[in-house]
Structure formats: C-alpha cells, structure tokens
C-alpha cells in the first residue's frame, strides 16, 4: 500500500501544464505538492530521440489511443486522437514544433470573455518559459527552462527553396514567426536541446523532482475530485487495483488535457445533467460547458515526387535507420537530432482575413506520421491545414467508470467556412510549389493529384484524406460566468466550485494559429503566478506586424509566376 499525507496542491496530470505547475509551485519550499500521472517513465530512446517522434505517438504504453465517434462531415471516419500517457504528457509524444500563435489569437481570447489574456499580457510568460538559441529581443528570451532552436539549421536545400518559393509567390518572408511578424515563410522552431527532445518533463519536471516538497506518483487513474458541498477537498484514484483518497489543503488542479480534464469533471458530477444522467453519475454541480467547445486542427499532406535524390525517403531502410540511431546515441547529432520540420509558412486563406489562418510544415520526405513511405522513390511534402476552424465538438463520458474512454466528437468541417478554407489550401499550395525556386526539385504531384481541381473534387479529397494535427483544445472554456459554455474564470478557477482549477489547453477559448505546446506552457506559467498570488509579470507593449492591405488582398505582392 502506498502512503500519502495531505498536500497543499494536488495536480492531476504530468503533461505540459502539469510539469510547469509542479516546478513553479514547489519553488516555495513550504509548499507540498502531489503530482499524479497515469503513465510512467519517459526514459525511452523513442521519446528522447527527436526523429523517432512517430513511435511514441502510436504506442499504447506512452499515449492514450483515443478515437473520435464517426465524423459526419468526413465520410463517417473515426479520427485518431492520441494524448500523452507518460511523464511530460503530450510534450513527450508530439512533433516538438514551437509555435506561440499569432498575437491576435490572444486578443481574441480576451474578446471572447477571458479578461486579461490578451497578447501583451501573455508575452512575458512566453518569454519566461523560453531559452531561445539565437539573439534575444523584445519578443524572445534566453535563460528559461524550455530550449527552442531550429534543429539542424536547414542543411537540406529543400527547406530554403520552399521559403524562397513562398516569397516568389508574393508572400512575405519572416525571420521569426514567433516575434513581431508571424505571417510569411521562414525557418521553423522546435523544442530540442543538444539533440534531445526538450519536453516539459525534461525542462520543468526533472529539475523539480530533486526537491523534497514534490511527490510524483505514476501509474494512477484519477476517477473523481472529492467535493464537500461546493468545495473541492481532494481526489480519489486507483493504483494497482487499490483505491486511495488524498486531501488537498489548498487546491486541486486538473491538468489532464482536453480529453482527460472534462472527463474527470464529469465523473465528479460537474457538468451537464443530461450527460451525467446518461452515464449514471449523480449531478453535483450543473456546468453545461464541460466537454463543449472542443476544437482541433486538421491537415493533409501535399506530396510531390522530387527530381533530385536528396530527400529523407532514402533514409527509411533498416540500415540507414540504424546508422542514424547509432550516431544519435553516441553524439546526439545528425538526422536523429531534428524533427525534420525546419521551414514553414503562415498565410491568410483569402482577403478580409486579418491574420494568418493557414499553416505549412515543410518536410523533405513523402511519408506519413507513422513513418511509412508514400511511394518508392524521392519526394517531399507540405503539411497544410486551416488553423482557425469554426466547427465545434464535444467530449462526454459514457459511464461512471474512469477506465472507460469518453465519447469524442469533433464535428470537423461542420462549418462551411472551414470547407472553403481547405479549398484554398489546395489551390494556394499548388501555386507556391509552381514557383521557380522549386523547379530543380518539383516532380509529379502525388497527392492530391493533378486531376483534383474542382470544388467538388477538392472537397471529396479533403473529406477522405485530412487527418488530425493532434491539437485538441477548448473543452473547458475560459470565460465569464455569463457565458453558458464557460467552465473556468480568467484565474483558471472552476465556476461555482472553490479550490478547483483547470490548467491545460482545455481552457483555451479559441484555438490559436499554430501548434499548441507553446501556448499551453505559457498558460501554465501564468496560472502558476495566479495560484501563488504573485504580482503578474509586467505587460509587454510591443509592435505586432499585420499586412496593411489585409482587407483587400490575400497576400502583399502579386505572384511572380503561376
């Protein structure tokens, strides 16, 4: 039997947010913290070696292998939704891409009811978290826990050719999309340090685990928050078929992610009465927004054959993989030390869109996330997706058992604007790859294929081919008590329940234009100050670049060709 005392704070989930909170709260030596995690150790070469990113994501040991309900607007396909089940959570299984989102995304949070979460107030916490590999400025910082760089610095010529093609097509070039100007094409940033995945576990949790006031317990399944009236007093969980109840002197903090956090709230009787009745759970506190407002990014692979033998498709054989692995084990360098997404682009899908809503990840290979080759030969691909979807879904428990996976419905492409944006993804991508910079490399279009041209043909391709970009969020929305869907207030406190917070990407009001690990870590850094009742970091008043002609043009300049 395990032995537990009472703790000041109990954090549920050792993912990106939970690791940050465990570190920051235990900076106070008088504060006792218990961190609970279902998964186990992250000591695996497949987690720590960046190029192996597809393996932990698709391994039951390291990830919850959730699937959505049949998606009605995607030909009833059930979409894969892996979530981290290991120390570091999804930061230990993700693609390590570091994107903060556009400044306007956070102004949008505030406008939707999350008072005080505008960009100028969030920026100091992005900076607090960061250890930027290049020259710091008003937007970037050195000395934080989270290492950020450009991997192998675009040694493959395809990376720079893609950036040049974007400029030739009439778009801007940006030296730092996480700085003053997101819009445009430039080098991509990743959370890697000295060739190793720099997860939240490596950056935040492992240093904190040296402190005597942090207790980390793995292998547990939390099934409910304990309540006395409207006061959260602790949690109940299972470990090795034994049940435990542990009390929190101050607060319980859910950081179980956009699937786990609403599931635990609903299992605790906090949520919509109809959902809880159907699952056999007694309603303790009516909060209809729990599980609602679910959002995610979709993307597809735009693939081309490559006319020159310089892509990663030649490195997929067993001997090449062995050589890459051995070099990484010995020196932490080479192709094993990058996620291979080293250049990117952020553009607007049409005139009248104020800030970018489409994102490119460029990969000098034609392959899937699971590592399978697209065809025999050399190729490259763009991961392209619409990043500001208007479609909304939900998470609902099916029973009163924590071991039963909840129902997940994203309703991808429910909104017609999302369909229109994906048509732009196809047409604008073709135009970019048709530019002179890609002439030495561009071969036959593999996917979607040159015959996919009309709206109807593009829509059919998208419905059949899009995949999740693994960015679910929004299912415990942050907002004012007047908002029916709001679950937490702007201090991350659950509406109507004392001593209970949710701190993870589930509380994002709207999804940012970019990958979600960076804003999740920022949010947790800021929430830690709120929990400790510290004076918030000084607001950064910095300039944000926008295309002055955004209302009238889709890009700043006419394309050079195509």
């Amino acid at each position: 039997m395990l032995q537990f005392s009472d703790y000041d704070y109990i954090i549920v989930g050792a993912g990106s947010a939970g690791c940050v909170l465990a570190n920051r709260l235990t900076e106070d030596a008088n504060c006792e913290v218990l961190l609970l995690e279902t998964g186990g150790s992250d000591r695996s070469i497949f987690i720590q070696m960046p190029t192996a990113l597809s393996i932990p994501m698709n391994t039951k040991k390291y990830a919850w292998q959730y699937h959505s309900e049949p998606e009605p607007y995607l030909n009833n396909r059930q979409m894969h939704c892996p979530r981290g089940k290991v120390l570091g959570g999804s930061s230990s299984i993700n693609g390590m891409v570091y994107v903060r989102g556009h400044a306007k995304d956070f102004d949008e949070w505030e406008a939707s009811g999350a008072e005080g979460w505008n960009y100028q107030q969030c920026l100091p916490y992005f900076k607090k978290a960061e250890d930027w590999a290049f020259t710091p400025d008003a937007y970037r910082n050195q000395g934080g826990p989270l290492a950020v760089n450009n991997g192998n610095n675009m040694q493959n010529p395809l990376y720079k050719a893609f950036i040049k093609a974007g400029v030739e097509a009439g778009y801007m070039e940006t030296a730092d999309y996480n700085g003053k100007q997101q819009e445009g094409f430039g080098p991509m940033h990743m959370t890697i340090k000295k060739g190793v995945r720099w997860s939240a576990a490596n950056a935040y949790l492992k240093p904190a685990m040296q402190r005597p006031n942090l207790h980390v317990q793995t292998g547990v399944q939390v099934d409910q928050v304990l309540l006395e009236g409207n006061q959260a007093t602790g949690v109940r969980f299972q470990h090795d078929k034994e049940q435990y109840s542990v009390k929190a002197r101050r607060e319980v903090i859910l950081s179980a992610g956009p699937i786990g956090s609403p599931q635990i709230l609903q299992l605790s009787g906090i949520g919509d009465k109809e959902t809880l009745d159907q699952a056999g759970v007694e309603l303790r506190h009516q909060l209809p927004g729990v599980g609602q407002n679910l959002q995610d990014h979709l993307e597809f692979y735009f693939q081309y054959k490559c006319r020159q033998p310089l892509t990663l498709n030649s490195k997929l054989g067993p001997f090449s993989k062995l050589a890459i692995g051995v070099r990484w084990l010995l020196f932490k360098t080479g192709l094993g030390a990058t996620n291979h997404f080293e250049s990117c682009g952020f553009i607007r899908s049409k005139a009248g869109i104020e800030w970018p809503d489409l994102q490119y990840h460029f990969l000098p290979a034609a392959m899937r996330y699971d590592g399978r080759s697209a065809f025999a030969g050399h190729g490259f691909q763009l991961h392209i997706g619409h990043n500001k979807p208007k479609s909304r879904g939900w998470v609902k428990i099916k029973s009163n058992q924590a071991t039963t996976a909840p129902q997940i419905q994203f309703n991808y492409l429910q909104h017609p604007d999302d369909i229109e944006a994906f048509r732009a993804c196809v047409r604008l991508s073709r135009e970019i790859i048709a530019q002179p910079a890609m002439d030495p490399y561009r071969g036959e279009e593999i996917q979607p294929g040159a015959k996919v041209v009309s709206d109807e043909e593009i829509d059919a391709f998208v419905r059949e081919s899009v995949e999740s970009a693994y960015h679910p969020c929004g299912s415990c929305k942050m907002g004012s008590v007047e908002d029916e869907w709001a679950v937490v207030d702007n201090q991350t406190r659950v509406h109507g329940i004392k001593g209970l917070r949710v701190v993870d990407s589930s509380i994002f009001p709207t999804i940012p234009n970019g990958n979600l690990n960076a804003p999740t870590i920022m949010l947790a850094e800021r929430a830690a100050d709120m929990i400790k009742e510290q004076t918030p970091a000084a607001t950064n008043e910095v300039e944000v670049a926008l295309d002055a002609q955004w209302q009238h043009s889709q890009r700043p300049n006419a394309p050079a060709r195509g």
Side-chain angles (χ1 to χ4, degrees), residues 206-403:
K206 290 174 184 176
M209 288 175 73
Q210 308 304 313
R211 299 170 184 158
N213 56 330
L214 174 62
H215 182 82
V216 179
Q217 181 60 59
T218 58
V220 304
Q221 178 83 57
V222 174
D223 55 23
Q224 66 176 248
V225 177
L226 299 175
L227 299 173
E228 293 181 7
N230 66 344
Q231 175 74 48
T233 60
V235 299
R236 189 180 74 185
F237 60 87
Q238 305 283 333
H239 180 271
D240 285 344
K241 299 182 180 179
E242 298 285 345
Q243 189 175 88
Y244 298 85
S245 294
V246 182
K247 293 297 186 76
R249 291 187 287 263
R250 299 186 190 178
E251 292 185 339
V252 174
I253 306 165
L254 299 184
S255 296
I259 309 302
S261 287
Q263 179 188 22
I264 293 170
L265 287 174
Q266 290 171 354
L267 288 169
S268 307
I270 302 170
D272 176 66
K273 185 178 188 305
E274 182 179 352
T275 298
L276 301 188
D277 285 347
Q278 291 174 353
V281 174
E282 178 189 357
L283 178 69
R284 302 291 300 277
H285 179 61
Q286 172 74 1
L287 203 57
V290 174
Q292 297 295 328
N293 194 49
L294 180 65
Q295 300 157 63
D296 190 18
H297 289 147
L298 283 175
E299 65 178 14
F300 67 86
Y301 312 149
F302 213 120
Q303 296 177 326
Y304 287 84
K305 292 184 178 179
C306 186
R307 296 169 58 192
Q308 296 190 35
L310 44 72
T311 72
L312 297 174
N313 286 73
S314 63
K315 306 295 184 182
L316 299 179
F319 294 109
S320 293
K321 287 183 176 180
L322 177 63
I324 291 169
V326 168
R327 177 175 176 179
W328 184 84
L329 283 169
L330 293 175
F331 306 110
K332 301 297 186 289
T333 60
L335 293 177
T338 176
N339 63 11
H340 305 291
F341 295 113
E342 296 186 21
S343 65
C344 63
F346 297 87
I347 66 174
R348 291 173 290 114
S349 59
K350 63 181 180 180
I353 301 290
E354 188 176 3
W355 69 94
D357 62 333
L358 306 184
Q359 177 183 4
Y360 289 101
H361 300 63
F362 182 84
L363 183 69
M367 66 174 68
R368 298 174 55 83
Y369 262 124
D370 60 13
R372 286 185 285 141
S373 177
F375 71 106
H378 284 272
F380 60 86
Q381 69 192 35
L382 322 176
H383 291 226
I384 172 64
H386 175 225
N387 275 7
K388 299 298 291 182
K390 295 181 179 178
S391 302
R392 297 291 184 267
W394 44 259
V395 177
K396 297 179 181 179
I397 55 171
K398 292 187 287 189
S399 80
N400 58 10
Q401 299 299 308
T403 53

Side-chain angles (χ1 to χ4, degrees), residues 153-175:
N153 297 316
M154 301 192 297
Q155 293 178 21
N156 191 308
L158 281 165
Y159 293 121
K160 293 179 181 177
F162 176 65
I163 296 171
K164 186 176 180 181
V167 175
E168 289 174 344
Y171 299 98
M172 294 184 277
E173 185 171 359
T174 179

Side-chain angles (χ1 to χ4, degrees), residues 25 41-42 63 70 98 103 128 139 148 207 211 264 280 321 345 391 397 428 461 503 510:
L25 295 180
S41 171
D42 63 342
Y98 182 85
K128 180 179 181 180
Y139 306 84
V148 181
R211 299 170 184 158
I264 293 170
K321 287 183 176 180
S391 302
I397 55 171
L428 297 175
F461 163 76
V503 180
T510 56

